Amino acid sequence: MSKDPNYAVKVEKAIAEKYGNEAVVNPKSQWDDDKEKEYLDELKSNYRLDKAEAEKVDLDGVLISKELLNRESERSCPTCNTYSFKSVDDLYMTKFDCCLKCYIQHVEGREERWKKGWRPNK
């Protein structure tokens, strides 16, 4: 730090010259009760939960959404019957109903045919 007592004033003046006076104005000086009310109303509207999200189930001391409890995850690839815990496979299982290995071997470049129902012979 500089030993000059006016250093902060000089820096503030340089910032104001380069970026304009709005860059050095204290935000609180432009805040009033109307803006505060508008801000709080906007916060409330953004954080409203719909009924499905609000329904939680206590499972061993942890609150979990009912939607998550109803989901069943497939860990086995229907094409090659490989069981996988890889998160990459989850992506392909969701989108193409196969694991990454099967996607590369059978689907890549032939997505339309796959979506129409074609599957390799077992």
Side-chain angles (χ1 to χ4, degrees):
M1 295 231 3
S2 175
K3 298 199 184 237
D4 183 9
N6 295 324
Y7 178 73
V9 175
K10 290 177 184 177
V11 170
E12 187 174 302
K13 186 177 180 183
I15 291 172
E17 287 175 6
K18 186 170 185 178
Y19 300 107
N21 288 330
E22 290 179 354
V24 293
V25 172
N26 184 350
K28 193 174 182 180
S29 67
Q30 298 176 349
W31 199 259
D32 57 8
D33 291 337
D34 293 334
K35 284 188 180 181
E36 181 74 19
K37 185 178 183 325
E38 182 181 326
Y39 172 74
L40 292 175
D41 290 341
E42 188 177 321
L43 272 179
K44 287 177 186 176
S45 69
N46 287 336
Y47 287 105
R48 287 203 177 112
L49 299 174
D50 57 59
K51 191 175 182 180
E53 289 180 7
E55 293 182 25
K56 305 282 184 183
V57 175
D58 188 352
L59 186 67
D60 297 329
V62 179
L63 292 176
I64 299 177
S65 172
K66 277 189 174 181
E67 290 179 353
L68 293 175
L69 292 175
N70 294 339
R71 291 184 188 167
E72 293 181 20
S73 65
E74 279 293 323
R75 303 302 310 178
S76 295
C77 174
T79 307
C80 68
N81 294 323
T82 302
Y83 192 81
S84 172
F85 280 113
K86 296 178 185 174
S87 60
V88 165
D89 286 339
D90 288 342
L91 172 74
Y92 292 100
M93 287 292 289
T94 303
K95 190 165 183 181
F96 295 104
D97 202 29
C98 67
C99 65
L100 174 63
K101 180 181 159 194
C102 289
Y103 173 78
I104 292 170
Q105 188 172 3
H106 303 294
V107 182
E108 191 171 35
R110 301 177 281 260
E111 286 89 358
E112 291 303 317
R113 182 173 76 163
W114 186 267
K115 288 179 183 177
K116 289 178 183 174
W118 179 87
R119 298 294 183 267
N121 295 331
K122 291 188 179 183

